[in-house]
Amino acid sequence: MTGRPEALFPLFAALETLEGIGAKTAKLLPHLGVEKPRDLALHLPYALIDRRRRDTIRGAEAPVTLTVAVTVGAHRAPRNKGGAYRIHVEDAEADFQLVYFHARGDYLKRLLPEGSRRVVSGKLEIFDGMAQMVHPDYVLPEAELEEIPEVEPVYHLTAGVTQKTLFKATDHVLRDLPDLPEWIDPALKKQEGWPDWRDAMRAAHRPERLEDVMPMAPARARLAYDELFAHQLTLSLARLRLRRAKGHPTVGTGALQAKVREALPYQMTGAQTRAVADIAGDMAQHLRMNRLLQGDVGAGKTLVAFMALLIAVEDGGQGVMMAPTEILARQHLEGLQPLAESAGVVVEILTGRDKGKERAAKLAALARGDIHVLVGTHAVFQKDVEFQDLRLAVIDEQHRFGVSQRLELGRKGAAVDVLVMTATPIPRSLSLAQYGDMDVSILDEKPPGRKPIKTAVVSVERMQEVVERMRATIAEGRQCYWVCPLVEESEKLDLTAAEERFKHLRAALGEGVVGLVHGQMPPAEKDAAMAKFQAGETKVLVATTVIEVGVNIPNATIMVIERAEIFGLAQLHQLRGRVGRGEAQSTCLLMYQPPLTEGGRKRLEVLRETEDGFRIAETDLEMRGAGDVIGTAQSGLPRFRVADLERQAGLMATAQKDARKLLEDDPALESDRGRAARQLLWLMSQEEAIRLISVG
């Protein structure tokens, strides 16, 4: 694919090529994310001002912008310098005042002579019971009414850039838009009633009614779809790329899996069984597996992952399981060890701590095939780590594993199948934006024997009762977490908050009972404090939010979260999932500082009502928006300019289906529609995708 199509050149020219944009404005526009005319085309208005003429201001809900014809009455100059210059005017049914500050009287007498008829347009406000319009936007003789636009789009601005500047510049862009071939599936376009691309652009920038600025307006929905479709095409190209690399069909005998099933104290859930079947089906193919296993806290992902690793071992191959941190890698090892023993499978761990002879011995055993399953951190990716026959990589990710890392893993040699596990329930629209290149299995049932966690909301004023409750729990031989809030502005503050709470609880519950973990501690001290709690030596762990996702202490039955109202929903749900991992009834206490805001109250209520992580994530998305739910900085979530993931979730799913189908029918994008889709990728600056086509 040779380079950007010529039709798009004007859209990628310098901003100064547009009317009314000089060097100074061109320097300010990047604050709005506008660096080229194309960005301006995607910078759509968010509201509109209706300037259609009306007969009277009577009945208008002030403050409101309106346009009305008036007869000009008496002028009243200000008594002192800098005061208000007032002009009395009357429309067909009511009278009001035009107000000017720092105005020259002679100029206003020429503009609005007493007794004349004028059309005025501006913002009407009520001040001291009197209707007034301060500095109207337009004042014209009635004959020149058409100079006032009936409807005016309102754009997001940045300091130094006015609505008029953007209106003029977008006018220029809209005039010169190329006529591009259609990349949307004709049947879909017809069914949705979407306009052509060029018409959609013009309609979206020049709305006529309030509905036209809504995400669901046909022109807007079409432009949002273009953006989502380009994104999903990029992900689907990456997926094809990963899959085209020949896979190694892996077919298990089922013998080892059966041994593990027999050793389990409970039955696998339906969701677990389905996920294992999905994975086995993928692994048996000649294409490489690229699957996401998404499950809520405690849905039993580890067991599913282990069954998948056993399929590789049953067929004479090896598997690797990667965790983001050493603590989690060791925990995976602890979780897998009993299962591995029941199947007679050798599991070993490799982390950055392994040095010298010990490391050399492990590497030799791995190369000989004596180690069946390796658990580790990113250390398993080092040059000297060689497997005899690696078939499956399971990656336990905490949002740190984007598309580019998935492509990287695919390059690591043999045709390895990839299974990514995530414990964060993400609403479907977001998971498609982030993992659209993958096939997804969802674990949405809890394994039997897990008791629901009781969640209560209590005010900080009842601190004493909470401490008493903990004392009783400790007397029964149980353990508790106490999470202190992270105050963003200052790590010092967190520290004092956590240390104060630690001292307070130590005084109440006794020496040696309470441990402390916070972000400022040296890693060795942190590990030591965690280990003491894990071993049951300390009964209460006071922590800032550093307690790792995935830490498993079945004996902990109380989770207190202080100032819960300032945490995000997903985070509260993850923290709550640290308890309720054993046989005993567990409780999560959400402590808040009154008075609660509306949002804070709603968040705590949702948690009290449900333990369903997916429902919680959907609510979180409605309340906070996409970037916050995943933390856009590290999420690998693209920034969409037109598409709104909260309101247009359905479009994302359609875009994924359509992108996959187009590439199945036309993998090189050579058909008419395929060539149109290439233009779309250029238009949306999807250079990654363009590279994938040209090398594919």
Side-chain angles (χ1 to χ4, degrees):
M1 178 155 192
T2 47
R4 183 178 293 127
E6 211 167 306
L8 299 179
F9 285 179
L11 286 169
F12 286 86
L15 286 171
E16 288 92 326
T17 54
L18 299 176
E19 252 164 64
I21 292 189
K24 201 166 126 213
T25 312
K27 283 203 180 70
L28 298 171
L29 285 171
H31 294 305
L32 290 170
V34 173
E35 293 177 2
K36 308 206 164 54
R38 174 207 85 116
D39 304 329
L40 200 56
L42 295 173
H43 185 72
L44 301 183
Y46 66 93
L48 56 90
I49 296 173
D50 185 349
R51 291 196 192 272
R52 279 173 290 210
R53 179 176 164 176
R54 43 196 293 170
D55 295 334
T56 175
I57 66 163
R58 188 186 292 283
E61 295 267 330
V64 62
T65 298
L66 45 76
T67 306
V68 63
V70 295
T71 302
V72 181
H75 286 231
R76 205 169 75 229
R79 291 205 188 84
N80 49 8
K81 200 168 178 276
Y85 188 109
R86 297 173 185 278
I87 305 171
H88 188 88
V89 295
E90 283 179 33
D91 65 24
E93 294 180 34
D95 58 344
F96 59 100
Q97 289 181 345
L98 304 182
V99 180
Y100 289 89
F101 292 97
H102 311 295
R104 300 194 317 280
D106 52 347
Y107 162 73
L108 289 175
K109 288 199 166 82
R110 280 202 307 279
L111 183 70
L112 290 146
E114 203 167 320
S116 66
R117 294 277 296 163
R118 289 287 182 268
V119 175
V120 294
S121 182
K123 192 173 191 180
L124 186 80
E125 293 168 295
I126 307 292
F127 188 71
D128 279 349
M130 181 67 190
Q132 58 178 37
M133 197 181 274
V134 180
H135 289 272
D137 304 320
Y138 296 90
V139 175
L140 297 165
E142 276 187 291
E144 293 168 25
L145 175 67
E146 66 280 357
E147 294 210 359
I148 302 176
E150 289 207 333
V151 179
E152 214 169 53
V154 183
Y155 292 97
H156 285 293
L157 299 177
T158 182
V161 179
T162 64
Q163 294 292 352
K164 284 208 169 100
T165 306
L166 284 185
F167 189 83
K168 218 162 147 177
T170 46
D171 244 9
H172 185 157
V173 174
L174 294 174
R175 236 186 8 252
D176 293 351
L177 283 177
D179 191 8
L180 299 175
E182 186 54 79
W183 46 76
I184 294 181
D185 173 40
L188 173 68
K189 187 175 165 214
K190 190 172 169 208
Q191 172 198 319
E192 296 290 342
W194 286 339
D196 288 343
W197 178 74
R198 197 159 56 168
D199 297 340
M201 269 293 172
R202 289 176 178 157
H205 278 282
R206 298 297 173 252
E208 290 177 7
R209 304 183 310 283
L210 198 53
E211 297 82 78
D212 298 342
V213 231
M214 298 301 172
M216 290 318 173
R220 287 236 161 178
R222 188 237 142 97
L223 295 173
Y225 186 77
D226 290 342
E227 207 170 16
L228 299 176
F229 183 55
H231 173 64
Q232 287 296 333
L233 262 180
T234 303
L235 289 176
S236 298
L237 281 160
R239 172 172 179 260
L240 263 188
R241 193 57 184 305
L242 278 169
R243 298 186 61 156
R244 211 179 285 149
K246 278 283 175 273
H248 185 312
T250 300
V251 182
T253 60
L256 298 176
Q257 296 173 68
K259 284 184 183 168
V260 171
R261 274 207 195 88
E262 275 161 42
L264 288 175
Y266 51 82
Q267 290 268 307
M268 284 172 72
T269 65
Q272 284 176 315
T273 311
R274 277 194 304 278
V276 174
D278 286 345
I279 292 165
D282 281 359
M283 288 175 73
Q285 290 185 32
H286 281 280
L287 296 170
R288 275 175 39 193
M289 170 165 80
N290 188 24
R291 185 170 283 279
L292 176 72
L293 179 63
Q294 203 183 9
D296 204 347
V297 180
K301 289 182 296 295
T302 311
L303 180 60
V304 171
F306 189 60
M307 289 298 197
L309 290 161
L310 289 179
I311 295 172
V313 180
E314 286 171 353
D315 197 16
Q318 291 165 296
V320 63
M321 187 169 201
M322 279 172 51
T325 64
E326 187 155 332
I327 288 189
L328 287 178
R330 295 205 174 278
Q331 219 172 293
H332 278 314
L333 184 70
E334 281 161 33
L336 297 181
Q337 212 83 57
L339 299 172
E341 276 162 22
S342 61
V345 168
V346 182
V347 178
E348 200 35 277
I349 186 165
L350 183 72
T351 68
R353 270 191 209 177
D354 291 301
K355 299 276 186 284
K357 281 187 181 156
E358 203 179 314
R359 178 177 159 93
K362 282 186 185 176
L363 295 183
L366 196 63
R368 281 197 307 275
D370 294 350
I371 295 174
H372 300 131
V373 174
L374 184 67
V375 176
T377 54
H378 280 282
V380 303
F381 270 166
Q382 283 157 353
K383 285 271 191 300
D384 57 349
V385 181
E386 287 186 11
F387 293 82
Q388 186 194 28
D389 181 9
L390 178 62
R391 303 283 187 86
L392 171 67
V394 178
I395 293 149
D396 181 4
E397 68 97 51
Q398 302 304 328
H399 298 314
R400 299 196 188 113
F401 208 76
V403 180
S404 51
Q405 283 93 338
R406 298 202 279 275
L407 281 164
E408 183 54 46
L409 182 67
R411 297 189 188 106
K412 173 77 191 170
V416 183
D417 285 324
V418 177
L419 180 68
V420 175
M421 298 197 295
T422 172
T424 318
I426 313 176
R428 178 127 193 272
S429 57
L430 295 191
S431 87
L432 284 178
Q434 204 177 354
Y435 302 109
D437 58 319
M438 308 186 83
D439 303 299
V440 182
S441 295
I442 293 178
L443 297 181
D444 48 11
E445 302 170 48
K446 284 228 159 88
R450 301 254 334 210
K451 290 200 175 74
I453 301 169
K454 284 195 176 130
T455 302
V457 176
V458 294
S459 153
V460 175
E461 289 150 2
R462 292 170 55 193
M463 177 85 70
Q464 208 38 53
E465 288 173 53
V466 173
V467 176
E468 288 311 314
R469 172 83 186 266
M470 288 175 92
R471 179 170 299 154
T473 304
I474 295 168
E476 292 165 9
R478 302 277 169 206
Q479 288 166 281
C480 316
Y481 289 101
W482 188 296
V483 177
C484 296
L486 268 177
V487 191
E488 292 281 317
E489 289 76 64
S490 135
E491 296 186 329
K492 295 250 178 350
L493 259 173
D494 301 333
L495 206 56
T496 43
E499 282 174 346
E500 288 304 304
R501 183 61 61 230
F502 168 67
K503 284 179 192 151
H504 166 208
L505 291 173
R506 191 176 57 186
L509 303 167
E511 282 291 333
V513 178
V514 187
L516 172 67
V517 181
H518 57 72
Q520 303 293 284
M521 278 176 152
E525 270 182 52
K526 214 187 295 185
D527 286 354
M530 286 299 301
K532 270 186 142 167
F533 187 61
Q534 231 158 348
E537 288 170 41
T538 47
K539 303 297 176 197
V540 177
L541 185 65
V542 175
T544 49
T545 47
V546 298
I547 46 177
E548 285 278 8
V549 176
V551 174
N552 192 17
I553 297 173
N555 191 38
T557 59
I558 289 193
M559 164 67 73
V560 178
I561 304 173
E562 209 176 323
R563 295 295 309 275
E565 76 277 10
I566 65 178
F567 286 87
L569 262 175
Q571 205 178 14
L572 289 169
H573 177 63
Q574 288 289 344
L575 286 168
R576 170 169 65 180
R578 301 294 110 238
V579 294
R581 292 171 163 253
E583 281 71 77
Q585 172 67 56
S586 292
T587 308
C588 175
L589 297 173
L590 303 171
M591 284 178 96
Y592 67 91
Q593 179 107 46
L596 274 178
T597 62
E598 184 52 37
R601 196 185 51 99
K602 187 172 168 194
R603 283 209 294 279
L604 300 184
E605 273 175 7
V606 169
L607 277 158
R608 195 170 55 195
E609 284 162 20
T610 179
E611 271 193 76
D612 176 350
F614 286 94
R615 204 188 123 198
I616 287 169
E618 294 285 356
T619 311
D620 209 7
L621 180 61
E622 281 162 33
M623 289 178 69
R624 288 196 306 158
D628 291 336
V629 172
I630 294 202
T632 307
Q634 79 281 20
S635 67
L637 249 196
R639 286 279 174 102
F640 295 117
R641 305 196 60 136
V642 180
D644 175 338
L645 286 182
E646 286 96 274
R647 296 197 188 82
Q648 298 175 314
L651 285 183
M652 181 63 102
T654 311
Q656 187 201 41
K657 268 211 316 258
D658 198 17
R660 287 186 170 191
K661 178 153 179 7
L662 175 62
L663 285 169
E664 267 158 40
D665 301 344
D666 178 18
L669 296 180
E670 292 296 355
S671 63
D672 287 349
R673 192 178 157 213
R675 290 188 173 285
R678 289 176 176 231
Q679 295 223 22
L680 170 67
L681 290 171
W682 280 110
L683 177 69
M684 293 299 177
S685 299
Q686 295 283 345
E687 277 82 11
E688 173 81 10
I690 290 155
R691 268 207 309 283
L692 286 168
I693 307 175
S694 39
V695 280

